[in-house]
Amino acid sequence: METVIAVLVGVLMASSVYLMLRRNLVRFVLGLALISHTANLLIFSSGGLQGTFPPLVPPGELVPGAGAANALPQALMLTAIVISFSVFAFLLVLAFRTYQRLETVDPDSMRSAEPVPAEAGTDRSVSGDPQ
């Protein structure tokens, strides 16, 4: 089972990187969401998939019995889900507002939002004279 999960993590990671390298803002946001889900799956599988009973410590002992699921990766995964959801929601709103303002999702066309660099050899800020 771990081999299947490892292959699945690899395929999902490659797919998310592929989406993030596309020239489309929406695909980038979807790739980022996919990479966060892939990281969650990786954290979940690192806790072991053979947990036969919950990690409860029996009375009079200091550690759970052998074969218990590890609770730390599960807690980390819950935290990662909350963080990735909030980042995804923020990026979705940011992409939507960018589309509304610039009317494009192509990152190369978004260069119109950047200031125009001054020509080489001329410094308008020092002289104050319009040219």
Side-chain angles (χ1 to χ4, degrees), residues 6-131:
V7 169
L8 182 64
V9 165
V11 168
L12 287 174
M13 186 68 71
S15 301
S16 62
V17 169
Y18 175 78
L19 283 173
M20 291 174 69
L21 291 176
R22 299 285 78 193
R23 291 183 174 226
N24 191 329
L25 189 61
V26 176
R27 288 184 181 156
F28 177 82
V29 171
L30 291 176
L32 196 64
L34 187 61
I35 205 168
S36 68
H37 292 311
T38 304
N40 291 338
L41 185 61
L42 182 67
I43 292 171
F44 179 70
S45 65
S46 70
L49 300 174
Q50 267 69 22
T52 55
F53 56 90
L56 300 174
V57 180
E61 294 190 26
L62 299 176
V63 295
N70 192 353
L72 182 63
Q74 295 172 7
L76 289 174
M77 191 177 72
L78 286 175
T79 304
I81 288 171
V82 171
I83 292 170
S84 66
F85 178 73
S86 62
V87 168
F88 180 67
F90 173 73
L91 284 178
L92 225 84
V93 170
L94 185 66
F96 181 68
R97 291 293 296 151
T98 302
Y99 175 74
Q100 281 183 334
R101 178 155 173 117
L102 300 176
E103 297 177 352
T104 183
V105 291
D106 183 30
D108 289 338
S109 301
M110 291 180 188
R111 301 259 184 221
S112 64
E114 296 178 4
V116 178
E119 294 180 22
T122 60
D123 190 10
R124 296 181 197 181
S125 63
V126 174
S127 64
D129 298 329
Q131 295 179 3

